[in-house]
Amino acid sequence: MLVLLAPAAARAGAYLEAGHGSAARGVMRSPALPRGACAHCHVQGEGAARFPKGLWRENDNELCYACHRTEDLLGTYPGFEIYERSTHAFDARAAWPGPFPPARRDPRAAGKCLNCHDPHGKADRSGVIPSLLAVREGELCLACHDGDPSTLDVARDVRKPYAHSPYRGGDRHDAREGGDPARYGYVGGNRHAACGDCHNAHAAARDAAPPLAPAASGRLARVGRVRVLNGAAGMIPLFDYRPGNDTSTPILEYEVCFKCHSSWTRQRPGEPDLAVAFNPNNPSFHPVEAPGKSATIDPNAFANGISASSTVFCGDCHGSDDSSARGPHGSRFSHLLRRAYDSRGGQLTTPDGLCFLCHRYDVYAGAAAGPAQRASRWNPPAAPSGHAFHVGQRNVGCFACHESHGSTRFPALIVLGRLPGLQGFSASAAGGSCASACHSQRAYAVNYPR
């Protein structure tokens, strides 16, 4: 005999509005019962006494897998086989830490669906919590990712002045938003950065070895992304949204970023279209989509293992300023940068500046002339090098003359119109000439071919 039970959450209305209780899309284990009926999980009669709460089997993941064994229609839940290979499934620390709802202290609790989901649904003052989560997404994820039990303190990063914070607009996230560009746009107030926009909690896994750019980390597995088909320099590419369950091509880190930071969606006025900036057909670009074009740069001009043939991640520049947690979660520096970057001029350039994560400081900014500066391409006959003179002695930062993402007009990431900065630039086979806000037109020669 089957009896419909009425849990407290159902009486409060959350169950009927949440996924399991909905008459239209609710649980449907037995075709003999109405969709959403409590008796799909709770039984009375033969065998019911064997398990608490009248469940037809033990309250573990196998109970959930009776319905959630395969991928859902949205592709956000990839199926139990993918989930059981994820960090949340097998890490011994992956158990709800409390205090609300109370901590799950059973040593067998790690990896259980009940750590994050309430099968009856929950409601708070904002309404029913999506996806049968026990608490709202940001609060849920950061309960663990605050340094305990996770060793990485993402919670601290997202509280910094510049952050992808799930607390700012996180409720705008909807697991069903998929490839709708308007859901990611700044125009219309939809821009948001919920945890689920970059991470699929049922698939995310730590990497056996650090990935090579531009391949995405396993922590970004099974999330939606935007692929590009590039045209000529300066042209907006063709965009192709790929949902999280599309595994036809490897996921690339910058494709996840393009969901918000490209013209695939609507951006704020003046915001750079990074899909245009990183186009490998541009005269110059930072090597995010492909290695840069300046293959002849002296190897001694680079730092930290970077070379002219390297590609880099967006996260190599954008991310935490003081945390071991990779990724652009939060920073005290503007534009969510890992280190200070002088975008106003007049600030002292120091070895811990952003650019010197990849570019060798004493080559480009050393105040005293030295042999290292010969690795700079801009090497007038008189020492110090052109770079070191301007940056090291005059405190004219990299920003004054160089675009940080890519240039659709000039080589060497040259940009015009900044103050201090260049007002005119002309390239030639030997080098070129420039006019700045500080002096008249001057010619220069490069130290080695472009």
Side-chain angles (χ1 to χ4, degrees):
M1 174 181 179
L2 299 175
V3 178
L4 300 183
L5 304 180
R11 290 195 297 270
Y15 178 70
L16 296 178
E17 295 182 48
H20 280 168
S22 166
R25 53 189 177 89
V27 63
M28 188 66 178
R29 184 176 68 89
S30 171
L33 295 168
R35 185 176 290 278
C38 303
H40 287 293
C41 295
H42 300 276
V43 298
Q44 185 176 9
E46 184 179 355
R50 293 166 49 198
F51 302 107
K53 303 178 182 178
L55 293 168
W56 63 271
R57 63 152 295 132
E58 184 179 355
N59 192 12
D60 60 10
N61 285 5
E62 289 299 327
L63 176 69
C64 305
Y65 292 159
C67 295
H68 298 284
R69 199 158 194 88
T70 58
E71 180 179 74
D72 65 13
L73 294 177
L74 300 174
T76 55
Y77 172 70
F80 89 102
E81 290 183 346
I82 300 295
Y83 172 66
E84 291 195 339
R85 295 198 297 267
S86 74
T87 299
H88 286 146
F90 64 75
D91 194 311
R93 298 168 298 174
W96 178 250
F100 179 80
R104 294 177 57 80
R105 304 192 185 282
D106 187 326
R108 300 171 299 170
K112 298 297 185 289
C113 306
L114 292 172
N115 284 306
C116 298
H117 298 281
D118 186 312
H120 299 128
K122 284 283 186 69
D124 58 15
R125 66 183 62 184
S126 298
V128 174
I129 299 173
S131 303
L132 291 169
L133 295 178
V135 295
R136 296 275 171 182
E137 181 180 295
E139 182 182 353
L140 179 83
C141 299
L142 297 177
C144 289
H145 293 277
D146 62 352
D148 182 23
S150 170
T151 57
L152 305 179
D153 193 349
V154 176
R156 182 183 62 170
D157 279 344
V158 300
R159 291 194 296 267
K160 291 176 180 175
Y162 305 95
H164 282 139
S165 174
Y167 297 125
R168 294 198 292 266
D171 284 344
R172 299 176 194 145
H173 178 68
D174 187 334
R176 294 167 292 182
E177 64 196 13
D180 180 3
R183 294 292 304 173
Y184 301 89
Y186 178 84
V187 178
N190 288 320
R191 179 72 63 84
H192 61 278
C195 304
D197 287 307
C198 298
H199 303 286
N200 185 325
H202 298 111
R206 66 173 61 93
D207 301 300
L212 298 177
S217 164
R219 293 173 173 86
L220 305 183
R222 297 277 180 148
V223 296
R225 56 206 165 101
V226 174
R227 291 183 62 81
V228 292
L229 178 62
N230 290 302
M235 288 184 59
I236 295 174
L238 297 177
F239 294 110
D240 179 20
Y241 177 83
R242 299 291 181 91
N245 60 355
D246 185 308
T247 58
S248 60
T249 57
I251 184 170
L252 307 178
E253 185 216 47
Y254 66 82
E255 295 173 344
V256 179
C257 304
F258 282 176
K259 287 194 295 186
C260 291
H261 299 288
S262 76
S263 56
W264 176 74
T265 187
R266 296 186 66 186
Q267 300 172 283
R268 65 163 65 91
E271 185 175 359
D273 183 345
L274 298 188
V276 171
F278 288 134
N279 183 353
N281 295 319
N282 288 342
S284 57
F285 50 89
H286 261 122
V288 170
E289 293 190 33
K293 292 187 173 181
S294 298
T296 58
I297 294 178
D298 191 319
N300 294 314
F302 294 102
N304 298 321
I306 297 294
S307 73
S309 61
S310 294
T311 50
V312 298
F313 294 109
C314 301
D316 287 330
C317 292
H318 300 278
S320 175
D321 56 301
D322 63 358
S323 171
S324 59
R326 282 188 57 85
H329 299 111
S331 174
R332 62 191 171 100
F333 297 120
S334 178
H335 302 293
L336 226 164
L337 294 171
R338 291 177 57 201
R339 291 188 179 181
Y341 180 66
D342 178 11
S343 60
R344 297 183 300 275
Q347 298 183 36
L348 181 64
T349 302
T350 61
D352 60 355
L354 177 73
C355 299
F356 304 116
L357 286 168
C358 296
H359 303 280
R360 190 172 160 189
Y361 175 79
D362 54 354
V363 169
Y364 292 100
Q373 292 176 10
R374 302 308 300 174
S376 165
R377 177 161 42 194
W378 184 16
N379 249 318
S385 76
H387 279 118
F389 175 79
H390 286 82
V391 181
Q393 295 187 13
R394 292 291 186 263
N395 290 330
V396 178
C398 308
F399 175 86
C401 300
H402 297 286
E403 177 58 69
S404 54
H405 296 112
S407 174
T408 61
R409 298 175 59 195
F410 299 116
L413 294 172
I414 294 295
V415 65
L416 305 183
R418 293 175 178 169
L419 190 65
L422 301 178
Q423 307 306 303
F425 173 81
S426 176
S428 70
S433 62
C434 62
S436 80
C438 305
H439 56 71
S440 60
Q441 188 90 2
R442 294 184 184 178
Y444 70 93
V446 295
N447 192 42
Y448 46 87
R450 279 196 305 273

